[in-house]
Amino acid sequence: MATPEKTHKTRRTDPVTMEVVELIGDVVARFYEDYEEAAGDHTLTGAQARLLSLLSLEPLPMRKLAQKLKCEPSNVTGIVDRLEARGLVERRPDPADRRVKLAAATDEGRRVARSLRESLRFAREPLAGLSDEERLALRGLLRRMLEV
């Protein structure tokens, strides 16, 4: 059973909260629009760009990639196949369990992922207009929202 405090937090529908929800939706939509455009500039689909960005951070097994991308493992296999054909991703055995294959970004894949991140204008340009304190406050608020 939800506590009264928890119920109050989840049912809050005051005008400011509703406006914040709308603004978050607008930010997400504009970010994805910019992301899709940047992916296209690199001749990638949005899904390929997201997968490549994840792999530029660390090699991951296909199942973990599917979880992070919230899609079926068979979809991830197709995306990895296409990126592998372009020399952006490679499959390698997992050192911890040689039965498991990891997908990993190649040097070229990491370069493309970095270029993709650098070409995202929507998030970077408005953030540059904020002071250091404002960016730190926004980061803190967003982290708190994601912890819920």
Side-chain angles (χ1 to χ4, degrees):
M1 184 168 171
T3 64
E5 182 180 304
K6 179 76 172 173
T7 302
H8 176 71
K9 283 184 180 179
T10 58
R11 290 191 181 164
R12 194 166 179 186
T13 58
D14 62 273
V16 172
T17 298
M18 295 310 295
E19 183 180 0
V20 169
V21 169
E22 291 289 325
L23 289 168
I24 290 170
D26 291 346
V27 166
V28 168
R30 288 187 55 196
F31 177 81
Y32 273 110
E33 182 180 306
D34 192 37
Y35 197 88
E36 292 289 328
E37 184 179 323
D41 290 345
H42 289 82
T43 325
L44 297 169
T45 65
Q48 289 171 336
R50 286 187 289 281
L51 187 141
L52 186 59
S53 291
L54 286 171
L55 294 180
S56 72
L57 302 173
E58 65 178 324
L60 292 167
M62 304 292 229
R63 186 167 307 282
K64 183 75 140 195
L65 279 169
Q67 290 170 347
K68 286 184 175 275
L69 293 173
K70 296 179 180 19
C71 68
E72 293 297 316
S74 60
N75 292 346
V76 169
T77 299
I79 296 168
V80 169
D81 287 345
R82 287 185 285 285
L83 292 173
E84 190 173 38
R86 290 185 53 188
L88 301 175
V89 168
E90 64 186 7
R91 288 177 170 91
R92 49 173 94 138
D94 184 341
D97 184 349
R98 299 196 55 82
R99 297 169 297 174
V100 174
K101 290 284 186 197
L102 297 177
T106 62
D107 288 342
E108 178 65 7
R110 283 188 292 282
R111 186 195 67 72
V112 169
R114 184 173 46 256
S115 175
L116 177 67
R117 276 190 302 276
E118 290 169 357
S119 68
L120 293 174
R121 293 175 305 280
F122 169 68
R124 195 177 54 235
E125 289 173 2
L127 289 172
L130 300 177
S131 69
D132 290 344
E133 294 80 22
E134 289 170 323
R135 283 193 306 277
L136 287 169
L138 179 59
R139 181 183 70 182
L141 292 169
L142 291 170
R143 283 180 174 172
R144 276 182 49 201
M145 284 183 71
L146 292 171
E147 288 173 1
V148 174

